[in-house]
Amino acid sequence: MRLALGQSGQLCLLTGPSKTGKTTLYREVLASRGEIPLIVQCDRQTKLEDVWLHALEGIDFERAESRQTASSAKGSVEAELSLKLGWAWLAEKAARIKGTITGEKSESELKRKILASPGPDLLIPALKHTNYVLVIEDFHYLAEDVKVILFQQWKRFVDNEVSVLVLGTTHRAVDIANSNRDLVGRIAQFDVGSWAVEDLEKIISQGFDYLNIKITPDLKNFIAMESVGLPLVTQQICLEMLTSLPAEYIDEVSGQKIALDRTTVGGSMHTVAKNRFTQFESYYSTLIKGPREGARKYKTYELVLACFTLDPIKFSLSRMEIDQRLGKLKLASSDIPPQASLNSTLGALKKFQERRGFEFLEWRPAEDILYIIEPSFLFYVRWRTMKGTAQKQMDLFEQLLSSTSGWFTVDIGKTILETEIWSREVDVKALLRRRPKPAE
């Protein structure tokens, strides 16, 4: 990605599931290049003019530095800036604004004038001549009509040798790549993807090895597999396993024989799902009910979601795979929805979620594939209920996920460490400092 950004006029796509480190990656790359991200955060309500307005509002000329370019025609390197960076300079660079300026105007007046009529022609000079880089986050949330126009306008950025960084989900990258034939050859995609199981296992080993606590390979694999490719989930499960122990100091557990088994791990996963991802509860309840709950004969919304919880864990299912997984569920023949009901549910998923302000599942009819967009939501639905408990099941989905493994809830004991062992931001050993015991 560093090399792609170094080439003028590139549309750089950084794709991958949520919480896999896309933001951390691009911030590191831009920092290494001495560039500042000019971030536009998108959602379903973001309009075209909002994109340019938010970008222009984010410019701080006191932080910006000028770029200097080599002019091959003149054979010399010359400064592109004849004025001090600021809104007056931008007004001079932007032809549309320059022609309307009369008399002396202050920086604040010129800023208001520019922001009153935002557009790409005002932003391009700032990106071309300063060390700002436009970053569009969560591009996939934009309405389709907004995307189409942005695709067309990005051609102008490319023609002006200005690079743009766009973040989105992996399966939406094809939308950008196929949207404008003029961009062919100027698009560079970098897919972060979900973390591999073996890499998540290394996170687990690093913490437990430092504490000199033995954990079996099968438990490490179990945690890594259930982390749905997210290092954050792995870290939270491991931390919960330790904070549930009745100990306060590192030397009380280091080197000791501690019983770690699937029961302990399962209890920690359940606690993490309920405590760390409790915001999913209302969305989950809404999604499994579906529209017109009382009028529907089949619980197709619950069944479709249940398909994602069956092993092996997958973040996308073809139409054939959905049918295959439905066949593995223990359903009475009268509960099996017909093909027409399943097709209707898949087709209605988008509008049903949009009306309620969330999006976790996406059906792509052109590909015949159903995607789960938020991996942490998948972890939540797998572990929101303790498996095999004797409690009364509240819905069909919980019945489908019930088992006879004999899980039980683990009580949370005193914390072992002052902060997280499996922290993403700080070195593990720097965090594992034992607090001095109080004097006798």
Side-chain angles (χ1 to χ4, degrees):
M1 187 168 71
R2 183 180 291 106
L3 293 176
L5 287 171
Q7 302 174 27
S8 300
Q10 287 289 313
L11 181 57
C12 299
L13 305 182
L14 184 56
T15 57
S18 174
K19 299 179 182 66
T20 51
K22 297 190 297 295
T23 299
T24 300
L25 175 61
Y26 86 70
R27 287 183 181 275
E28 288 287 338
V29 171
L30 293 183
S32 70
R33 290 175 47 82
E35 294 174 319
I36 306 172
L38 189 59
I39 303 170
V40 176
Q41 187 77 46
C42 301
D43 56 36
R44 296 174 186 83
Q45 285 71 47
T46 302
K47 306 299 182 185
L48 183 63
E49 57 272 18
D50 296 333
V51 173
W52 309 126
L53 177 60
H54 295 334
L56 287 165
E57 285 178 330
I59 296 176
D60 181 358
F61 283 109
E62 292 185 0
R63 295 181 60 202
E65 297 178 358
S66 64
R67 297 181 190 267
Q68 291 191 343
T69 60
S71 175
S72 57
K74 296 180 181 180
S76 64
V77 176
E78 60 184 11
E80 292 186 341
L81 305 180
S82 58
L83 299 175
K84 180 182 178 181
L85 288 176
W87 296 101
W89 165 83
L90 184 56
E92 282 290 325
K93 284 291 182 182
R96 174 161 65 90
I97 295 296
K98 183 177 180 179
T100 65
I101 299 175
T102 57
E104 295 291 331
K105 290 185 179 292
S106 66
E107 284 281 305
S108 59
E109 288 176 313
L110 289 170
K111 180 179 180 179
R112 283 196 297 270
K113 188 174 184 63
I114 290 173
L115 296 183
S117 182
D121 58 324
L122 300 178
L123 185 61
I124 287 174
L127 298 175
K128 184 176 179 64
H129 297 284
T130 74
N131 60 335
Y132 272 112
V133 174
L134 180 62
V135 179
I136 308 293
E137 290 196 350
D138 294 329
F139 175 83
H140 51 275
Y141 285 133
L142 293 174
E144 295 302 321
D145 59 334
V146 176
K147 292 179 186 176
V148 171
I149 300 176
L150 278 177
F151 292 148
Q152 298 169 353
Q153 294 181 335
W154 274 332
K155 174 63 165 54
R156 298 167 62 182
F157 283 76
V158 171
D159 290 342
N160 281 275
E161 299 184 337
V162 173
S163 295
V164 179
L165 182 59
V166 181
L167 277 66
T169 56
T170 303
H171 68 283
R172 301 282 184 86
V174 68
D175 292 341
I176 299 177
N178 296 333
S179 62
N180 192 329
R181 295 183 183 274
D182 292 333
L183 295 177
V184 173
R186 307 308 297 268
I187 298 177
Q189 182 183 357
F190 307 92
D191 190 20
V192 175
S194 300
W195 282 45
V197 170
E198 53 267 28
D199 291 330
L200 295 176
E201 289 179 347
K202 292 177 182 178
I203 295 176
I204 302 168
S205 296
Q206 187 175 14
F208 280 102
D209 288 350
Y210 187 84
L211 288 174
N212 196 20
I213 298 176
K214 295 186 181 299
I215 181 170
T216 62
D218 66 307
L219 283 183
K220 286 195 293 187
N221 181 260
F222 179 45
I223 297 170
M225 290 291 293
E226 289 294 338
S227 296
V228 292
L230 299 179
L232 174 65
V233 175
T234 301
Q235 295 155 3
Q236 290 173 338
I237 293 171
C238 292
L239 179 64
E240 181 57 39
M241 289 168 63
L242 291 180
T243 55
S244 66
L245 297 173
E248 187 172 0
Y249 304 103
I250 292 177
D251 60 359
E252 292 177 335
V253 296
S254 181
Q256 302 298 316
K257 290 185 178 181
I258 298 174
L260 296 178
D261 51 28
R262 288 205 167 212
T263 299
T264 304
V265 175
S268 297
M269 290 178 179
H270 170 65
T271 301
V272 169
K274 295 297 288 184
N275 292 348
R276 299 296 186 102
F277 298 102
T278 185
Q279 69 271 22
F280 288 144
E281 177 61 33
S282 61
Y283 299 134
Y284 161 82
S285 300
T286 300
L287 188 57
I288 65 171
K289 291 177 182 177
R292 301 181 297 107
E293 179 185 14
R296 290 186 296 114
K297 181 178 180 180
Y298 301 99
K299 296 183 178 295
T300 49
Y301 281 79
E302 292 173 82
L303 296 174
V304 167
L305 187 57
C307 288
F308 278 101
T309 67
L310 299 181
D311 295 328
I313 297 176
K314 296 190 68 174
F315 303 113
S316 64
L317 297 173
S318 67
R319 185 65 177 78
M320 181 180 297
E321 288 175 318
I322 292 174
D323 291 336
Q324 292 172 345
R325 293 196 172 203
L326 286 176
K328 295 178 181 180
L329 299 175
K330 297 178 181 180
L331 297 172
S333 57
S334 59
D335 292 330
I336 301 175
Q339 294 296 309
S341 177
L342 283 170
N343 292 336
S344 175
T345 293
L346 293 173
L349 271 173
K350 181 178 177 62
K351 289 185 177 180
F352 171 67
Q353 293 177 101
E354 283 180 349
R355 287 195 297 268
R356 288 153 182 83
F358 64 86
E359 185 179 18
F360 296 119
L361 299 174
E362 182 185 10
W363 171 245
R364 306 273 287 186
E367 304 170 35
D368 212 30
I369 293 177
L370 178 65
Y371 293 90
I372 188 160
I373 299 174
E374 178 57 70
S376 57
F377 181 67
L378 175 57
F379 173 78
Y380 173 79
V381 297
R382 288 177 71 89
W383 289 100
R384 65 178 295 273
T385 302
M386 288 300 300
K387 300 181 180 182
T389 54
Q391 66 184 42
K392 180 181 182 297
Q393 301 297 322
M394 300 303 293
D395 51 54
L396 171 64
F397 187 74
E398 291 175 353
Q399 295 177 31
L400 295 172
L401 296 182
S402 64
S403 65
T404 57
S405 302
W407 304 81
F408 63 89
T409 302
V410 178
D411 293 328
I412 299 177
K414 294 182 179 179
T415 182
I416 301 173
L417 307 175
E418 291 182 278
T419 184
E420 295 188 11
I421 290 179
W422 287 268
S423 171
R424 290 179 297 174
E425 287 116 9
V426 186
D427 180 71
V428 170
K429 292 188 178 181
L431 290 171
L432 294 174
R433 296 194 181 99
R434 184 181 61 186
R435 291 177 298 179
K437 290 186 177 182
E440 295 294 338

